[in-house]
């Protein structure tokens, strides 16, 4: 069954409750009169409440109405927040540099409003020391406490230990802030077109000196 409303001569009832182009109530009129008014206004007669008795019809530009409805639906889909769960894997005896790198990814995910599943992978004899993984997960949770919270406490899952972190910030808020930041950068670049170019030139890596020939 089509979701499209009936319009103009596809409406087959003797009379309708008519609503004018500005939303004013015209009242119950014969269908022929409603179609005549639609022609006078150069608009369409659109059935907006088919189950009413008599059906409710409105005078409108149906093509414009469909376009605006499609744009609103598109914008709603664009702003829709999808729950995303990222995953980060660590080893119990991770070195400080790798830990900082992994933590940086977790921070980025939480700032984006995403959940993060942290997996500690045990190998060999490490499986007899689950407290190593537990302490590591606790440390990570404390390090990112300003951005996220422990949504699922650490638990053993076979050879792995898993914890889930949830963001304090909602996905919609993170998306809105990201758009605002992007618009601010565009506005700044437009206001100062030479600034970004100069910055790029200053950041350009210096040309490396040519390698000396190896001694014989």
């Amino acid at each position: 069954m089509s979701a499209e409303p009936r319009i103009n001569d596809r409406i087959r009832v003797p009379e309708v409750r008519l609503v004018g182009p500005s939303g004013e109530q015209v009242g119950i009129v014969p269908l022929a009169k409603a179609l005549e008014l639609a022609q006078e206004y150069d608009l369409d007669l659109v059935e907006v409440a088919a189950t009413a008795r008599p059906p409710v019809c409105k005078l409108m530009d149906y093509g414009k109405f469909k376009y605006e409805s499609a744009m609103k639906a598109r914008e709603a889909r664009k702003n829709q927040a999808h729950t995303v769960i990222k995953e980060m894997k660590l080893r119990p005896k991770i070195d400080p540099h790798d830990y900082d790198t992994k933590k940086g990814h977790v921070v980025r995910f939480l700032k984006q409003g995403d959940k993060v599943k942290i997996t500690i992978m045990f190998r060999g004899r490490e499986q007899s020391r689950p407290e190593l993984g537990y302490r590591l997960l606790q440390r990570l949770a404390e390090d990112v406490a300003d951005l996220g919270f422990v949504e699922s406490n650490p638990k053993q899952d076979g050879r792995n230990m898993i914890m889930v972190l949830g963001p304090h910030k909602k996905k919609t808020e993170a998306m809105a802030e990201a758009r605002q930041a992007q618009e601010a950068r565009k506005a700044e670049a437009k206001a100062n077109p030479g600034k970004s170019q100069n910055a790029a030139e200053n950041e350009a890596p210096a040309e490396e000196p040519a390698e000396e020939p190896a001694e014989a």
Side-chain angles (χ1 to χ4, degrees):
M1 191 172 181
S2 174
E4 293 281 336
R6 293 187 295 183
I7 64 172
N8 300 327
D9 56 0
R10 287 166 52 193
I11 302 172
R12 304 293 177 85
V13 291
E15 58 184 16
V16 299
R17 184 178 297 277
L18 186 63
V19 179
S22 300
E24 69 276 16
Q25 297 290 331
V26 178
I28 297 175
V29 299
L31 176 63
K33 178 63 176 177
L35 290 171
E36 183 181 331
L37 288 172
Q39 289 182 343
E40 289 181 9
Y41 283 104
D42 193 22
L43 295 172
D44 299 299
L45 181 66
V46 182
E47 189 177 59
V48 295
T51 58
R53 291 293 178 266
V56 180
C57 294
K58 184 176 181 179
L59 297 174
M60 68 172 74
D61 183 338
Y62 186 59
K64 181 180 178 181
F65 171 76
K66 283 186 67 177
Y67 174 78
E68 290 177 348
S69 297
M71 289 298 98
K72 288 179 181 178
R74 180 181 177 183
E75 189 66 20
R77 288 194 300 270
K78 180 180 177 181
N79 294 329
Q80 187 176 5
H82 297 283
T83 301
V84 177
I85 299 181
K86 304 290 187 177
E87 183 171 13
M88 188 59 56
K89 296 181 178 180
L90 294 79
R91 295 294 301 275
K93 297 180 180 179
I94 188 170
D95 68 64
H97 176 74
D98 286 344
Y99 174 80
D100 289 338
T101 301
K102 301 278 188 177
K103 184 181 71 174
H105 292 312
V106 174
V107 166
R108 177 165 53 87
F109 295 147
L110 292 173
K111 283 184 176 180
Q112 292 172 353
D114 295 324
K115 296 182 180 181
V116 188
K117 176 184 176 184
I118 312 296
T119 302
I120 304 294
M121 302 180 298
F122 295 95
R123 296 292 183 268
R125 296 181 179 179
E126 292 174 348
Q127 297 178 56
S128 63
R129 300 288 305 280
E131 69 277 5
L132 295 177
Y134 185 78
R135 285 201 295 265
L136 182 58
L137 291 175
Q138 282 189 314
R139 174 189 172 190
L140 181 59
E142 291 172 0
D143 286 348
V144 299
D146 56 330
L147 298 172
F149 62 95
V150 178
E151 185 174 287
S152 178
N153 289 317
K155 62 180 179 180
Q156 199 76 26
D157 182 17
R159 295 184 176 184
N160 301 329
M161 184 174 287
I162 295 171
M163 177 181 72
V164 177
L165 295 174
H168 291 313
K169 190 180 298 180
K170 293 182 179 179
K171 184 73 173 179
T172 50
E173 294 175 1
M175 292 170 63
E177 289 183 4
R179 283 197 298 271
Q180 290 174 0
Q182 185 178 19
E183 290 171 1
R185 287 194 296 270
K186 288 182 179 178
E188 184 179 356
K190 188 175 181 181
N192 303 288
K195 185 177 180 181
S196 57
Q197 183 176 355
N198 292 336
E201 291 175 355
N202 291 335
E203 293 177 1
E207 186 175 338
E208 294 183 7
E211 292 184 2
E212 296 182 0
E215 295 182 1

